[in-house]
Amino acid sequence: MGKDVIIACDFPSAEKTLEFLDRFKGRKPFVKIGMELYYSEGPSIVEKIKNRGHKIFLDLKLHDIPNTVKKAMAVLSRLDVDMTNLHAAGGSAMMKAALEGLTKPNGERPILIAVTQLTSTDSETLKNELLIGAPMAETVMKYAENAARSGLDGVVCSPLEAAAVHNTCGSGFITVTPGVRFSDSDAGDQKRIMTPEQAKAAGSDYIVVGRPITAAEDPVAAYERCIREFLG
Ligand code: C5P
C-alpha cells in the first residue's frame, strides 16, 4: 500500500476541475471527487479525470440498507475508481454487502474505507440528538474496529487519531486523513489540524488536502511542498 497526497477537488464544475488539473502539466496527482462535483457532473467527470491518468478517491459516503449499498457499489466499481467510502454507522452487514458489490468478477476492487463519526458531529450532538452515551473517541474506535472486522481497508479520520486507529486495527489498516494545513497557512474552518510532516510522523497513510493546494497562488508548488513534507 502506497502513501500519497490526495487533492480534494472541491470545485463546482468539470470545467473548473479540469482547468485546475491542467496546471499540473506532466504530474498526475491522486484526486478526491466529492458529492458536489459528482452530483453536478455525473459519472463522466470520473471517466474524464481517470482518462487523464489520475488515481481517484470517490468520496460519496454511502449509507443505506445493505442491498441498496451493494448494488450502488457495483455501479461505482465499474467506474474503475481507486478508492471509495461509506458510513460505518450503516453497520457490519452493510459494510460486508458493500465489499461484495465493489468486487469485480476478477476479484479486484477499489480500496474501501469507512467514515467513523463526521468531524462536524460534536459530543453534544452525539449524546443529545443521536442518543449515543459512549464518549466520542470510544465510538470512533468502535466504528473503526467494526470496519476492520467487516473486511474494509481503512477509515477516514483525523491525523490525531491515526496512531490510535493503527494500534487498535493494525498497522496495515489504512488511515486517510483530512485536516492538513501548512505550518504557515490559515486553518480556515478546520479545527483539529496537523502539518503534512506531523501527519507523516503520526502514521497517516494518505493525507487529503484541499484549500492549502486548491486556493494557493501556485497550486503546483503547494502540492510539491505537501509531497516533500509528507513523503520526504
Ligand atoms: O480544504 P480542506 O483541506 O479543508 O479539505 C478537506 C477535504 O476533506 C474536504 O473535501 C472535506 O470535505 C474532506 N473531509 C474533511 N473532514 C472529514 C471528512 C472529509 O475535511 N472528516
Side-chain angles (χ1 to χ4, degrees):
M1 173 215 35
K3 301 208 168 204
D4 210 346
V5 173
I6 303 178
I7 305 180
C9 284
D10 295 322
F11 296 107
S13 68
E15 196 191 350
K16 288 238 153 60
T17 310
L18 298 177
E19 233 173 68
F20 170 77
L21 293 175
D22 279 343
R23 305 180 68 150
F24 286 81
K25 305 276 188 289
R27 298 217 60 162
K28 302 288 176 191
F30 202 137
V31 303
K32 178 171 92 72
I33 298 175
M35 288 185 202
E36 182 187 9
L37 188 57
Y38 188 78
Y39 291 148
S40 108
E41 299 292 341
S44 71
I45 185 63
V46 174
E47 284 159 27
K48 279 182 190 146
I49 298 178
K50 193 82 206 169
N51 286 341
R52 287 170 166 233
H54 297 267
K55 286 190 172 172
I56 296 178
F57 168 21
L58 189 56
D59 178 18
L60 299 181
K61 301 186 178 70
L62 275 67
H63 187 177
D64 208 316
I65 60 170
N67 186 55
T68 302
V69 169
K70 178 178 171 178
K71 293 193 166 154
M73 285 294 187
V75 175
L76 296 186
S77 156
R78 293 204 294 273
L79 289 179
D80 214 17
V81 296
D82 299 279
M83 183 187 290
T84 191
N85 62 359
L86 47 64
H87 273 283
S92 299
M94 187 201 78
M95 291 193 267
K96 287 177 188 162
L99 277 177
E100 274 177 40
L102 209 52
T103 306
K104 296 175 196 165
N106 66 4
E108 286 177 10
R109 64 166 175 81
I111 292 173
L112 182 61
I113 57 173
V115 175
T116 56
Q117 291 290 356
L118 290 170
T119 43
S120 51
T121 304
D122 59 17
S123 301
E124 261 165 34
T125 309
L126 198 70
K127 190 164 165 239
N128 300 331
E129 290 184 33
L130 305 180
L131 301 184
I132 295 174
M136 177 66 77
E138 210 176 293
T139 70
V140 165
M141 224 43 77
K142 177 66 181 162
Y143 285 21
E145 259 187 295
N146 292 345
R149 290 204 178 124
S150 303
L152 267 68
D153 304 299
V155 285
V156 183
C157 63
S158 159
L160 295 154
E161 292 157 357
V165 167
H166 283 141
N167 278 340
T168 305
C169 303
S171 59
F173 195 63
I174 298 171
T175 51
V176 178
T177 66
V180 174
R181 291 293 178 267
F182 293 122
S183 52
D184 52 1
S185 75
D186 187 10
D189 54 358
Q190 294 281 14
K191 295 201 170 68
R192 304 167 65 224
I193 56 174
M194 276 193 180
T195 65
E197 248 174 336
Q198 289 167 334
K200 177 189 179 183
S204 290
D205 296 296
Y206 293 87
I207 52 172
V208 176
V209 188
R211 288 158 293 177
I213 295 175
T214 56
E217 221 164 274
D218 184 345
V220 180
Y223 172 71
E224 301 287 1
R225 179 176 174 191
C226 263
I227 292 278
R228 260 197 325 275
E229 290 190 14
F230 184 62
L231 299 179

